[in-house]
């Protein structure tokens, strides 16, 4: 209903953001204009496409443009577009709340941020779009009408207020007009007066030159009229277009500066960092397309959430078709941003068509190969800083490709790096690992776990440490997944040290061990049998091992068993799993194990008849410590603590 003004509360974190913006000493206030222009440009793209797809849409698309208006007296700055506009509900949704992907994550981090400076840095990384206007304005008004609708919406918020007002208005021009009531000019700082023509001109040229729509502004110009005596100077107002409108991806690499590329990247990705790599591509022939891709230098907050949506934009012959064209970039390269402009697609192309389209599939294949080869180049560079940045930000995502992209598996393995027991701080490539493999070792050893410390303290590692064998330490959740499906790297099989039997011995050592085994089986045979029965609920087998040197016991899985971490991941995702029993392995040289055997041997028949509870408890404790040693969780920690306390009481 026109005329009724409603006052609504900002969502808590939106208000918090606003506060931060108002007090911001954010180093680059100029960027607010880029954000407004970027939104306007998106709105024009959307309208053009909507009008194309819906012939009945009542919207004027004859002169799509952006306009900047300044009133120095009133100190207002207006950015207007005649694009798609917003409905009232959309204004509440998109402007009133922080309807951004990754909001939850930002909110969490903002509450955690100790200082204002830390919060600002976060905002800098996150990007704040529309709200950046509050860096320079005391009050912001927005008037909008959605294409096809008759009524418009007026929205207004003052800096520092926790509420905004919203009102339906009878007549509003199609599109969106944002008016900033600028903060008072700082007499000491002319650089930040956004009513100055040269200032606005400079910002547009710097940040928004490539915008495909004309950005117009009325400028005053002094002209001289008449001759000699009659000569008079007159000030006329003239409309000028401030941007060159050249699509960046159509220009040769050498002609475009890194700064221009960076600003374009900011526009397409809605991110604020400097890209790590700029990848221009051009293909002629059967499938003609141009692409301009970016590898960011900072991972967005929402890289691992479902909300994440910005990726590669699809254009057809310069016309924007869609954001985040999933058909052009696989999930595991979702961090890649940019634009693909295809020549031979219909403007009417839909998601369904894209999924089937052979041309798109071909383009995607080439893009993927190009991105991977770029990563390979970064990795091969003398200076490793870029690669290290890349890997720390996106390594976890890239490794998802080991599962989903069998065609490029070798390449992904080759550009991946891993923590390893060979170094506390440096990562290793698989090629590096293989190069260090001693004679006689034929597998790449790894262990998965939740943290480096947990893996390093694991009993499984003992024999490998003793033998000086390198083990890869895999602690990303995705590692658990790919190791179960990738069998080898250049013919060298991956082998978990926490599964199955380990074999680190030479032929001679093996013979010795075998003899020892026989003896031990004789010595420990009865104990193992008894333990097998006593621990039947939790262990599927009890056996001796030579993989331990200092621990009394450890748990191992069969080759195809789930690891404890994978089990937890499945449970956490709500999937039901049957209880898994694992194998309990004992160290026959450990005094606890030999002691247990001696006690058992002395009271065999009573123990077998279940009449020696302290022995059964010792077995339980032994099993429990093995669970704890691998970072696992006890089923009944209270009982374990109680048994342990009783034991300690008896010995102190
Ligand atoms: P982002 O552009 O990254 O989504 P913004 O804060 O800049 O974040 O804008 C939030 C949303 O508000 C946009 O996604 C868009 O849907 C809407 N919006 C902003 N400005 C305009 C505009 N000029 N025309 C239409 N919609 C707009
Ligand atoms: Mg925006």
């Amino acid at each position: 209903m026109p005329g009724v003004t409603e006052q609504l509360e900002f969502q808590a974190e939106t208000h918090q953001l606003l506060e931060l913006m108002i007090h911001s000493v954010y180093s680059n206030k100029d960027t607010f204009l880029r954000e407004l222009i970027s939104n306007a440009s998106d709105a024009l793209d959307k309208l053009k496409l909507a009008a194309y797809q819906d012939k009945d849409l009542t919207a004027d698309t004859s002169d799509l443009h952006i306009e900047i208006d300044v009133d120095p007296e009133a100190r207002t700055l207006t950015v207007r577009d005649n694009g798609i506009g917003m409905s009232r509900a959309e204004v509440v949704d998109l402007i009133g709340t922080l309807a951004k992907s990754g909001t939850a994550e930002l909110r969490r981090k903002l509450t955690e941020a100790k200082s204002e400076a830390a919060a600002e840095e976060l905002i800098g990384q996150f990007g704040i779009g529309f709200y950046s206007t509050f860096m320079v304005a005391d009050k912001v008004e927005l008037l909008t009408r959605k294409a096809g609708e008759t009524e418009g919406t007026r929205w207004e918020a003052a800096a520092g207020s926790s509420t905004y007002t919203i009102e339906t208005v009878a007549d509003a021009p199609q599109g969106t007009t944002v008016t900033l009531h600028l903060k008072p000019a700082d007499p000491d700082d002319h650089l930040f007066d956004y009513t100055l023509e040269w200032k606005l001109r400079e910002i547009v040229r710097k940040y928004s030159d490539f915008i495909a729509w004309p950005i117009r502004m009325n400028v005053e110009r002094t002209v001289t009229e008449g001759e000699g005596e009659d000569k008079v100077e007159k000030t006329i107002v003239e409309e000028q277009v401030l941007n060159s409108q050249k699509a960046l991806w159509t220009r040769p690499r050498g002609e475009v500066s890194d700064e221009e590329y960076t600003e374009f990247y900011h526009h397409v990705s809605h991110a604020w960092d400097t890209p790590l790599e700029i990848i221009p591509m051009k293909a002629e022939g059967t499938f003609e397309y141009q692409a301009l891709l970016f590898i960011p230098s900072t991972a967005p907050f929402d890289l691992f959430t479902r909300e994440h949506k910005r990726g590669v934009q699809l254009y057809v012959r310069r016309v924007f078709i869609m954001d985040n064209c999933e058909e052009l970039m696989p999930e595991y390269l979702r961090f890649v941003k940019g634009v693909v402009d295809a020549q031979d697609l219909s403007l009417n192309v839909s998601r369904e068509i894209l999924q089937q389209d052979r041309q798109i599939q071909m383009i995607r294949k080439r893009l993927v190969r190009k991105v991977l080869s770029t990563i390979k180049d970064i990795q091969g560079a003398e200076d490793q800083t870029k690669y290290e940045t890349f890997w720390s930000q996106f390594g976890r995502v890239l490794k998802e490709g080991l599962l989903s992209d069998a065609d490029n598996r070798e390449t992904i393995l080759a550009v991946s790096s891993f923590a390893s027991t060979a170094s506390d701080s440096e990562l290793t490539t698989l090629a590096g690992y293989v190069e260090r493999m001693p004679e006689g070792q034929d597998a790449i050893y790894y262990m998965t776990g939740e943290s480096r410390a947990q893996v390093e303290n694991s009993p499984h590692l003992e024999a490998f440490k003793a033998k000086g064998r390198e083990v890869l330490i895999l602690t990303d959740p995705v590692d658990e997944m790919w190791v179960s499906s990738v069998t080898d790297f250049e013919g060298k099989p991956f082998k978990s040290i926490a599964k199955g039997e380990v074999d680190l011995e030479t032929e001679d050592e093996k013979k010795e061990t075998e003899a020892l085994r026989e003896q031990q089986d004789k010595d420990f045979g009865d104990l193992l049998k008894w333990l097998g029965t006593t621990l039947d609920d939790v262990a599927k087998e009890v056996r001796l091992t030579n993989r331990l040197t200092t621990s009394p016991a450890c748990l191992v899985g069969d080759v195809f068993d789930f690891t404890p971490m994978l089990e937890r991941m499945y449970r956490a995702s709500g999937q039901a799993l049957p209880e898994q029993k694992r194998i309990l392995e004992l160290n026959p040289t450990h005094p606890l194990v030999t002691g247990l055997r001696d006690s058992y041997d002395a009271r065999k028949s009573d123990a077998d008849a279940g009449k020696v509870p302290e022995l059964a408890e010792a077995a339980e404790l032994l099993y429990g410590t093995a669970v704890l040693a691998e970072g696992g969780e006890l089923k009944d920690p209270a009982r374990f603590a109680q048994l342990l306390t009783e034991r300690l009481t008896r010995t102190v």
Side-chain angles (χ1 to χ4, degrees):
M1 226 193 308
V4 181
T5 308
E6 240 188 305
Q7 190 166 45
L8 297 177
E9 291 271 329
F10 278 114
Q11 230 184 14
E13 71 273 13
T14 308
H15 179 60
Q16 195 183 356
L17 244 186
L18 260 164
E19 283 285 299
L20 281 162
M21 289 321 301
I22 296 159
H23 300 116
S24 170
V25 285
Y26 192 74
S27 54
N28 202 349
K29 291 194 204 301
D30 293 357
T31 48
F32 83 91
L33 189 58
R34 170 190 75 201
E35 294 300 313
L36 289 180
I37 291 175
S38 173
N39 286 349
S41 165
D42 288 350
L44 294 165
D45 284 342
K46 283 180 200 161
L47 178 61
K48 170 136 186 203
L49 189 68
Y52 190 86
Q53 290 174 341
D54 176 6
K55 299 280 180 237
D56 299 330
L57 186 71
T58 45
D60 181 6
T61 56
S62 58
D63 180 30
L64 297 178
H65 67 279
I66 300 165
E67 232 172 270
I68 298 178
D69 248 346
V70 191
D71 183 340
E73 259 92 77
R75 287 196 63 71
T76 58
L77 171 67
T78 301
V79 177
R80 182 177 303 126
D81 67 71
N82 53 355
I84 191 87
M86 284 174 273
S87 66
R88 180 174 175 135
E90 280 169 341
V91 174
V92 174
D93 224 44
L94 300 167
I95 304 290
T97 57
L98 198 74
K100 277 247 190 193
S101 44
T103 308
E105 182 70 14
L106 177 71
R107 191 186 313 160
R108 192 176 62 70
K109 296 213 168 176
L110 274 177
T111 7
E112 275 171 13
K114 294 280 176 308
S115 64
E116 199 137 305
E120 248 161 48
E121 192 181 323
L122 273 172
I123 290 177
Q125 284 173 32
F126 187 75
I128 22 67
F130 181 77
Y131 287 103
S132 58
T133 48
F134 285 97
M135 289 192 291
V136 300
D138 285 330
K139 190 168 89 176
V140 177
E141 279 175 72
L142 179 144
L143 180 66
T144 184
R145 179 164 64 82
K146 187 155 181 153
E149 293 186 3
T150 48
E151 289 179 335
T153 306
R154 224 184 70 82
W155 176 99
E156 182 183 308
S161 167
S162 61
T163 60
Y164 62 86
T165 58
I166 189 161
E167 172 189 10
T168 300
V169 291
D171 52 353
Q174 171 197 308
T176 304
T177 304
V178 179
T179 305
L180 310 185
H181 295 262
L182 296 169
K183 290 181 181 178
D186 181 349
D188 298 330
D189 201 347
H190 287 297
L191 286 180
F192 289 112
D193 189 350
Y194 298 107
T195 61
L196 297 174
E197 181 202 314
W198 68 264
K199 179 70 185 169
L200 297 169
R201 199 186 271 284
E202 183 191 82
I203 302 177
V204 171
R205 196 151 346 138
K206 186 158 168 207
Y207 296 112
S208 312
D209 190 61
F210 52 82
I211 293 289
W213 308 103
I215 303 169
R216 299 180 190 151
M217 183 163 75
N218 283 332
V219 296
E220 284 181 359
R221 220 159 54 91
T222 315
V223 288
T224 331
E225 275 178 11
E227 290 286 319
E229 292 280 292
D230 300 330
K231 206 157 114 177
V232 278
E233 291 212 324
K234 263 172 87 181
T235 305
I236 59 158
V237 175
E238 177 186 84
E239 190 181 77
Q240 285 185 2
V241 174
L242 306 184
N243 57 328
S244 79
Q245 289 173 255
K246 274 198 193 150
L248 223 61
W249 59 89
T250 61
R251 293 165 57 190
R253 173 74 148 111
E255 216 185 72
V256 184
S257 72
D258 281 359
E259 287 71 30
E260 282 177 283
Y261 276 128
T262 299
E263 289 316 325
F264 180 71
Y265 160 76
H266 289 162
H267 173 66
V268 291
S269 70
H270 295 231
W272 289 42
D273 59 325
T274 307
L276 198 65
E277 278 296 325
I278 301 161
I279 315 173
M281 288 172 76
K282 195 179 164 107
E284 271 152 9
T286 347
F287 309 121
E288 212 177 310
Y289 66 88
Q290 284 167 316
L292 178 54
L293 303 180
F294 299 92
I295 298 178
S297 58
T298 312
F301 288 114
D302 55 0
L303 198 54
F304 287 96
T305 65
R306 266 164 215 273
E307 297 163 63
H308 184 82
K309 58 179 202 293
R310 306 246 181 241
V312 172
Q313 295 182 338
L314 174 67
Y315 279 68
V316 172
R317 296 182 294 281
R318 295 306 138 68
V319 178
F320 170 82
I321 303 292
M322 67 179 75
D323 254 337
N324 188 29
C325 180
E326 286 160 4
E327 288 71 27
L328 284 173
M329 216 28 94
E331 268 286 293
Y332 77 95
L333 295 178
R334 61 184 175 276
F335 54 86
V336 176
K337 310 288 167 188
V339 165
V340 174
D341 190 350
Q343 284 304 305
D344 309 316
L345 284 176
S346 148
L347 286 177
N348 239 344
V349 72
S350 68
R351 282 238 137 88
E352 291 66 45
I353 295 175
L354 282 179
Q355 278 160 13
Q356 315 289 332
D357 193 275
R358 229 169 60 81
Q359 214 186 120
I360 287 286
Q361 284 161 9
M362 282 303 302
I363 296 178
R364 169 183 163 128
K365 231 184 199 157
R366 295 205 194 143
L367 299 182
V368 168
R369 244 184 296 160
K370 180 74 183 175
V371 170
L372 290 177
S373 75
T374 305
I375 298 170
K376 208 165 182 174
D377 291 345
I378 304 179
Q379 187 197 31
E382 186 97 35
D383 181 0
Q384 286 289 290
T385 15
K386 248 191 194 181
Y387 175 72
E388 280 161 15
T389 305
F390 169 78
W391 192 254
S392 71
Q393 296 298 311
F394 304 113
R396 282 194 297 165
V397 187
L398 191 76
K399 282 189 285 185
E400 291 173 16
L402 293 171
L403 283 156
S404 56
D405 188 352
D407 289 348
N408 291 300
R409 191 172 274 171
E410 282 296 316
T411 317
I412 301 171
L413 280 177
V415 299
S416 293
S417 53
F418 306 91
S420 125
T421 52
S423 163
D424 288 340
S425 54
E426 273 172 42
L427 303 181
T428 178
T429 56
L430 292 173
Y433 180 101
V434 170
E435 221 176 87
R436 288 187 294 274
M437 272 168 45
E439 188 115 359
Q441 178 178 342
D442 52 11
I444 297 172
Y445 295 116
Y446 71 86
M447 182 168 170
T448 57
E450 277 175 357
S451 68
R452 179 169 185 128
Q454 187 204 73
V455 171
E456 279 185 328
N457 293 324
S458 153
H460 296 118
L461 210 58
E462 287 171 12
F464 288 82
K465 266 190 214 150
K467 290 258 176 197
R469 291 289 170 90
E470 183 176 348
V471 177
L472 298 179
I473 302 172
L474 308 181
T475 55
D476 288 333
V478 61
D479 291 330
E480 286 284 352
M481 317 293 289
W482 71 259
V483 290
S484 56
S485 68
V486 177
T487 51
D488 68 286
F489 170 70
E490 291 177 355
K492 304 274 187 292
F494 288 102
K495 196 164 176 355
S496 166
I497 65 163
K499 282 181 172 182
E501 301 271 355
V502 279
D503 184 5
L504 291 177
E505 297 177 319
T506 60
E507 288 305 310
D508 285 351
E509 282 172 325
K510 258 184 214 157
K511 279 199 194 104
E512 259 174 59
T513 318
E514 242 158 65
L516 190 67
R517 268 286 171 89
E518 255 169 57
Q519 188 54 45
Q520 285 171 339
D521 282 345
K522 263 188 222 134
D523 293 351
F524 288 86
D526 290 345
L527 174 74
L528 294 179
K529 219 167 109 202
W530 174 75
L531 278 174
T533 325
T534 311
L535 297 173
D536 182 45
D537 282 351
V538 284
K540 69 173 158 194
E541 190 189 337
V542 182
R543 69 187 183 205
L544 298 177
T545 184
N546 56 356
R547 79 172 92 213
L548 300 175
T549 58
T550 52
S551 301
C554 70
L555 289 165
V556 294
D558 269 342
V559 178
F560 296 109
D561 281 355
F562 280 43
T563 63
M565 183 167 152
L566 196 57
E567 224 179 313
R568 266 200 295 281
M569 277 164 51
Y570 269 90
R571 295 230 155 83
S573 72
Q575 301 202 40
L577 277 187
E579 284 294 325
Q580 280 208 94
K581 289 199 221 172
R582 300 167 69 219
I583 301 162
L584 179 67
E585 290 192 342
L586 303 182
N587 175 358
T589 62
H590 197 284
L592 176 54
V593 177
T594 50
L596 190 63
R597 178 202 53 197
D598 296 345
S599 306
Y600 170 76
D601 283 352
R603 313 172 63 180
K604 226 176 249 182
S605 49
D606 279 350
D608 287 348
K611 288 188 204 150
V612 195
E614 63 271 25
L615 218 65
E617 285 165 12
E620 219 180 311
L621 282 168
L622 186 64
Y623 172 80
T625 45
V627 173
L628 291 178
E630 64 171 16
E633 279 164 35
L634 295 167
K635 283 250 163 47
D636 189 350
R639 176 173 163 80
F640 183 85
Q642 185 203 342
L643 289 180
L644 189 64
T645 313
E646 282 167 14
R647 279 289 146 139
L648 289 172
T649 316
R650 261 178 270 157
T651 54
V652 288

